[in-house]
Structure formats: C-alpha cells, structure tokens
C-alpha cells in the first residue's frame, strides 16, 4: 500500500492496509482505481475547504463503497446497502469499533443518496462529493491541482463504460434502487 498518492497521504494503520488488500483482491481494476481516486478526491476537497475528517474511516469507506456492484446477482439489496454490510462486517473483523464501523457503513449507503448533509458526517459528505466528481465530473475543478499523479497511478481506462454497464445490471434487477436515478443522470 502506498504512503501517498500524489499529494494525498494514505492512512497506514492495520485496518487501512487490510482494506487496501481486500479491495485489490475483490474489485475489478476499473472499480479499484475509481475507489482509490474517490478517496483522493475526498481528501483533496477536505483540504481545500478545511473540512475535518477521519482518514482511517474514509479510506475503507472509499475503497469498499462499490463492492456491492460485484455482488448484484447474489444480493437482494441495492448495491450500496449490500456493500455497506460487507464493509461493516469486514472492518469489525479487523478490530474497528462498532461506532466507527457504523460511520464507514453510513458513508457507503449515503454515497448514492439524493442529498447528503453535514449532519450525516464528514466522511459521508466527502464520499458522496468525491464519487459524484469521479463518476459525473461534478466540480472537477476542486481537484485539478492534485489530479495528474493520481490519474496516472489509477487511470480511468474503460471506467465509464464498465461502470455504466454495472449500474444497468442493477437497474435491470432492482428498479427501485438509487442506481435508476444515477443512470438517468448519466443519460441512459
């Protein structure tokens, strides 16, 4: 696991290292790179706007926020809920406190919600904003100064096509999930 991604410091505690290993092993490359970029964009937004957050909570939330997309056919829940459950169980097994595990899970569930507020927690707000930036380009100007080395290390590649296909798979099975709203915003 890297110590830094461009200018962005990576938390170096054992749970963060385990989350990195889990994500590398579990996610296809396009989702892994998106997840890493999402953490970087969240940290960059926080630094730019002076938002305090806990890196050791945002890191696993970022790395695991789309794990539910890899389980669409095996789960009855919308991908963000399934992924939050997987992440919560994982971080608890790694020794994270139940309260902190709840913060991780809440950030994952809310990253697809129509609106996330400060009352939901800094990690939820930052993950929501960072994923919107990475998926839809929302406020990309906020990370322009840190983007180069992160994009080089974790390129977009075929992300847009592959991510859209994953979202379409969920919508085909579960039209009541937030994925339907996202797909409409993406123009499909």
């Amino acid at each position: 696991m890297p110590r830094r991604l461009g200018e962005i410091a990576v938390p170096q505690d054992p749970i963060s290292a385990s989350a990195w290993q889990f994500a590398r092993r579990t996610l296809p490359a396009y989702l892994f790179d998106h997840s890493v970029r999402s953490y970087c964009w969240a940290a960059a937004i926080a630094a730019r706007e002076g938002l305090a957050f806990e890196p050791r909570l945002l890191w696993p939330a970022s790395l695991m926020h789309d794990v539910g997309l890899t389980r669409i056919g095996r789960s009855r829940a919308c991908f963000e809920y399934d992924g939050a459950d997987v992440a919560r169980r994982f971080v608890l097994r790694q020794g994270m406190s139940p309260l902190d595990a709840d913060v991780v899970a809440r950030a994952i569930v809310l990253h697809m919600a129509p609106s996330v507020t400060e009352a939901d927690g800094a990690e939820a707000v930052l993950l929501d904003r960072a994923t919107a930036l990475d998926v839809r380009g929302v406020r990309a100007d906020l990370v322009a100064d840190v983007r180069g080395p992160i994009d080089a290390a974790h390129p977009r590649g075929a992300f847009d096509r592959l991510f859209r296909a994953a979202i379409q798979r969920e919508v085909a099975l579960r039209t009541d999930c937030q994925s339907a709203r996202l797909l409409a915003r993406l123009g499909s």
Side-chain angles (χ1 to χ4, degrees), residues 77-100:
C78 299
F79 88 87
E80 64 273 25
Y81 288 91
D82 185 49
D85 186 51
V86 169
R88 186 177 193 287
R89 287 192 322 264
F90 176 84
V91 296
L92 284 170
R93 279 194 313 273
Q94 302 304 311
M96 186 176 280
S97 77
L99 288 175
D100 285 348

Side-chain angles (χ1 to χ4, degrees), residues 40-51 126 129-130 133 142-143:
C40 293
W41 307 155
I45 291 167
R48 183 181 183 115
E49 297 182 359
L51 299 174
L126 290 167
R129 290 179 67 194
L133 189 157
L142 294 175
V143 301

Side-chain angles (χ1 to χ4, degrees), residues 107-123:
I108 292 171
V109 166
L110 293 177
H111 91 278
M112 289 291 289
S115 68
V116 182
T117 69
E118 289 180 27
D120 298 313
E123 292 76 17

